[in-house]
Amino acid sequence: MNGDCLFCKIVAGTIPSKPLHEDAELIVIPDINPQAPLHALVIPRTHIPTLNDMTADHEALVGRMFRRAAALAKERGFADRGYRTVFNTNREAGQSVFHIHLHVLGGRFFSWPPG
Ligand code: AMP
Ligand code: ZN
């Protein structure tokens, strides 16, 4: 737990949220500023600032984040239509919250390359 971290506060419940899913390792919340009809964030309970801080000890956890993203997309009917999963890392990629989170976006067409 990092006392200055927004997502640690959401995980701890000191900032209220309406989770779409919670388990021992992960919490999934709707993005406050959705960029698509489905825009959720898969957040590990453990504070890991960026993908650069991921170690071998986190491999199973990050794997579970992706499986949870796929489960959510399937639940919402986007598995076959398509959806996007994104980790933004550091300034040039637009990371604004320094506690890793996997964006799950679905329900519209996404351009490639991304902006
Ligand atoms: P990133 O820019 O990749 O670090 O993503 C951070 C995301 O967190 C952005 O899409 C924000 O809209 C979202 N966000 C910021 N504050 C909250 C909050 N309190 N609850 C849910 N999502 C949030
Ligand atoms: Zn944190």
Side-chain angles (χ1 to χ4, degrees), residues 23-85:
D23 61 40
E25 289 175 308
L26 304 176
I27 177 169
V28 182
I29 61 170
D31 196 290
I32 204 169
N33 181 22
Q35 300 302 311
L38 168 65
H39 187 177
L41 304 172
V42 181
I43 303 171
R45 292 187 184 276
T46 305
H47 180 81
I48 303 166
T50 80
L51 202 57
N52 296 333
D53 303 298
M54 184 188 165
T55 66
D57 286 347
H58 302 129
E59 280 174 5
L61 176 64
V62 173
R64 283 187 207 112
M65 291 172 73
F66 275 102
R67 291 193 68 221
R68 177 50 52 191
L72 176 63
K74 188 173 183 190
E75 256 169 56
R76 299 299 174 91
F78 299 126
D80 293 333
R81 287 173 58 184
Y83 58 97
R84 188 163 285 182
T85 46

Side-chain angles (χ1 to χ4, degrees), residues 1-9 11 43-49 97-100:
M1 165 89 189
N2 175 328
D4 296 328
C5 170
L6 175 67
F7 288 169
C8 281
K9 289 178 187 164
V11 164
I43 303 171
R45 292 187 184 276
T46 305
H47 180 81
I48 303 166
V97 179
F98 288 83
H99 176 137
I100 61 165

Side-chain angles (χ1 to χ4, degrees), residues 90-107:
N90 281 339
R91 185 168 48 92
E92 289 195 7
Q95 185 175 4
S96 60
V97 179
F98 288 83
H99 176 137
I100 61 165
H101 48 280
L102 183 58
H103 293 261
V104 189
L105 300 122

Side-chain angles (χ1 to χ4, degrees), residues 7-20:
F7 288 169
C8 281
K9 289 178 187 164
I10 287 177
V11 164
T14 50
I15 293 178
S17 67
K18 292 189 176 159
L20 304 172

